[in-house]
Amino acid sequence: VLPAGQTELKIENYKIENSSVIYLIPQTSTQNHTVYVKSKTGGSFTIAVDQPLNTDLNLDYWIVNN
C-alpha cells in the first residue's frame, strides 16, 4: 500500500533480481496518475507517482525473472 500523501514506497522481496520485470496492478484508483517502478536492486524495488495521491493506493505486483 502506497499511503496517501507519499510519492514513493520501497517493497522488499527476495525474488527481485536486477533483471526482473515487474508489473504493477493497481487495485484502487490511481487518480489518473501513472504508477511506475522507480528503481530496483537485488531484493527490493521502489514504486513511485509524480504527485502524492489523496487516498491510499492498494496494488499487486507480478515479478518475471528472465
Side-chain angles (χ1 to χ4, degrees), residues 5-66:
Q6 295 189 9
T7 59
E8 295 184 8
L9 175 68
K10 183 177 180 178
I11 299 172
E12 296 191 20
N13 187 310
Y14 71 93
K15 294 182 181 180
I16 300 293
E17 301 172 358
N18 291 338
S19 62
S20 296
V21 176
I22 304 164
Y23 294 94
L24 303 176
I25 306 120
Q27 299 299 314
T28 54
S29 176
T30 63
Q31 301 170 14
N32 290 329
H33 294 282
T34 301
V35 182
Y36 59 95
V37 176
K38 182 174 182 179
S39 63
K40 62 184 170 182
T41 60
S44 70
F45 66 99
T46 300
I47 63 166
V49 290
D50 290 333
Q51 296 182 2
L53 303 177
N54 297 329
T55 59
D56 290 353
L57 174 63
N58 294 319
L59 61 92
D60 292 330
Y61 59 89
W62 180 31
I63 303 165
V64 178
N65 287 323
N66 300 329

